[in-house]
Short mmCIF file of all heavy atoms in Angstrom, two decimals:
data_model
loop_
_atom_site.label_atom_id
_atom_site.label_comp_id
_atom_site.label_asym_id
_atom_site.label_seq_id
_atom_site.Cartn_x
_atom_site.Cartn_y
_atom_site.Cartn_z
N SER A 293 -33.51 18.63 32.61
CA SER A 293 -33.69 19.56 31.50
C SER A 293 -35.09 19.43 30.95
O SER A 293 -35.86 18.58 31.35
CB SER A 293 -32.65 19.29 30.41
OG SER A 293 -32.85 18.01 29.88
N ALA A 294 -35.40 20.25 29.94
CA ALA A 294 -36.77 20.32 29.43
C ALA A 294 -37.22 19.02 28.80
O ALA A 294 -38.40 18.71 28.77
CB ALA A 294 -36.88 21.45 28.42
N ALA A 296 -35.94 15.94 29.65
CA ALA A 296 -35.61 14.78 30.45
C ALA A 296 -36.83 13.90 30.62
O ALA A 296 -37.97 14.35 30.57
CB ALA A 296 -35.10 15.22 31.83
N GLU A 297 -36.63 12.61 30.87
CA GLU A 297 -37.72 11.66 30.99
C GLU A 297 -38.57 12.01 32.19
O GLU A 297 -38.07 12.12 33.32
CB GLU A 297 -37.13 10.25 31.15
CG GLU A 297 -38.17 9.16 31.22
CD GLU A 297 -38.88 8.98 29.89
OE1 GLU A 297 -38.31 9.39 28.87
OE2 GLU A 297 -40.00 8.46 29.88
N PRO A 298 -39.89 12.21 32.04
CA PRO A 298 -40.73 12.59 33.17
C PRO A 298 -40.95 11.41 34.10
O PRO A 298 -40.91 10.25 33.69
CB PRO A 298 -42.05 13.01 32.51
CG PRO A 298 -42.06 12.27 31.22
CD PRO A 298 -40.65 12.17 30.78
N ALA A 299 -41.17 11.73 35.37
CA ALA A 299 -41.44 10.68 36.34
C ALA A 299 -42.88 10.18 36.18
O ALA A 299 -43.75 10.87 35.67
CB ALA A 299 -41.23 11.23 37.77
N LEU A 300 -43.12 8.96 36.63
CA LEU A 300 -44.44 8.36 36.54
C LEU A 300 -45.06 8.29 37.93
O LEU A 300 -44.45 7.77 38.87
CB LEU A 300 -44.35 6.95 35.94
CG LEU A 300 -43.82 6.90 34.50
CD1 LEU A 300 -43.71 5.44 34.05
CD2 LEU A 300 -44.73 7.66 33.57
N VAL A 301 -46.29 8.87 38.05
CA VAL A 301 -47.00 8.85 39.34
C VAL A 301 -48.44 8.49 39.08
O VAL A 301 -48.96 8.66 37.96
CB VAL A 301 -46.93 10.24 40.02
CG1 VAL A 301 -45.49 10.61 40.33
CG2 VAL A 301 -47.57 11.30 39.15
N PRO A 302 -49.15 7.97 40.07
CA PRO A 302 -50.57 7.62 39.87
C PRO A 302 -51.43 8.85 39.70
O PRO A 302 -51.17 9.90 40.29
CB PRO A 302 -50.92 6.87 41.17
CG PRO A 302 -49.61 6.51 41.81
CD PRO A 302 -48.66 7.56 41.38
N ARG A 303 -52.45 8.76 38.82
CA ARG A 303 -53.46 9.81 38.72
C ARG A 303 -54.31 9.83 39.98
O ARG A 303 -54.58 8.79 40.59
CB ARG A 303 -54.36 9.56 37.51
CG ARG A 303 -53.72 9.85 36.17
CD ARG A 303 -54.70 9.59 35.07
NE ARG A 303 -54.12 9.85 33.76
CZ ARG A 303 -54.70 9.54 32.62
NH1 ARG A 303 -55.90 8.95 32.62
NH2 ARG A 303 -54.11 9.80 31.48
N ALA A 304 -54.77 11.02 40.34
CA ALA A 304 -55.56 11.15 41.56
C ALA A 304 -56.86 10.38 41.46
O ALA A 304 -57.31 9.76 42.42
CB ALA A 304 -55.83 12.63 41.85
N LEU A 310 -50.91 4.97 35.56
CA LEU A 310 -49.72 5.82 35.61
C LEU A 310 -49.80 6.92 34.60
O LEU A 310 -50.21 6.72 33.47
CB LEU A 310 -48.47 4.97 35.36
CG LEU A 310 -48.17 3.91 36.41
CD1 LEU A 310 -46.90 3.15 36.01
CD2 LEU A 310 -47.99 4.51 37.78
N THR A 311 -49.37 8.11 34.98
CA THR A 311 -49.32 9.25 34.07
C THR A 311 -48.09 10.07 34.38
O THR A 311 -47.41 9.82 35.41
CB THR A 311 -50.59 10.12 34.21
OG1 THR A 311 -50.54 11.14 33.22
CG2 THR A 311 -50.68 10.78 35.58
N THR A 312 -47.79 11.02 33.56
CA THR A 312 -46.59 11.83 33.79
C THR A 312 -46.87 12.88 34.84
O THR A 312 -47.95 13.46 34.93
CB THR A 312 -46.16 12.51 32.50
OG1 THR A 312 -47.21 13.32 32.01
CG2 THR A 312 -45.76 11.49 31.45
N ALA A 313 -45.84 13.15 35.65
CA ALA A 313 -45.97 14.17 36.68
C ALA A 313 -45.71 15.54 36.13
O ALA A 313 -44.93 15.70 35.20
CB ALA A 313 -44.98 13.87 37.82
N THR A 314 -46.36 16.54 36.72
CA THR A 314 -46.10 17.93 36.33
C THR A 314 -45.04 18.50 37.27
O THR A 314 -45.19 18.46 38.48
CB THR A 314 -47.39 18.75 36.44
OG1 THR A 314 -48.36 18.18 35.59
CG2 THR A 314 -47.12 20.19 36.03
N ARG A 315 -43.97 19.03 36.67
CA ARG A 315 -42.87 19.54 37.49
C ARG A 315 -42.81 21.05 37.45
O ARG A 315 -43.07 21.61 36.42
CB ARG A 315 -41.55 18.95 37.01
CG ARG A 315 -41.53 17.44 37.13
CD ARG A 315 -40.15 16.90 36.74
NE ARG A 315 -40.13 15.45 36.86
CZ ARG A 315 -39.07 14.70 36.64
NH1 ARG A 315 -37.95 15.26 36.28
NH2 ARG A 315 -39.12 13.40 36.75
#
Side-chain angles (χ1 to χ4, degrees):
S293 63
E297 183 68 22
L300 297 177
V301 298
R303 286 181 180 171
L310 296 179
T311 185
T312 58
T314 301
R315 299 184 180 182

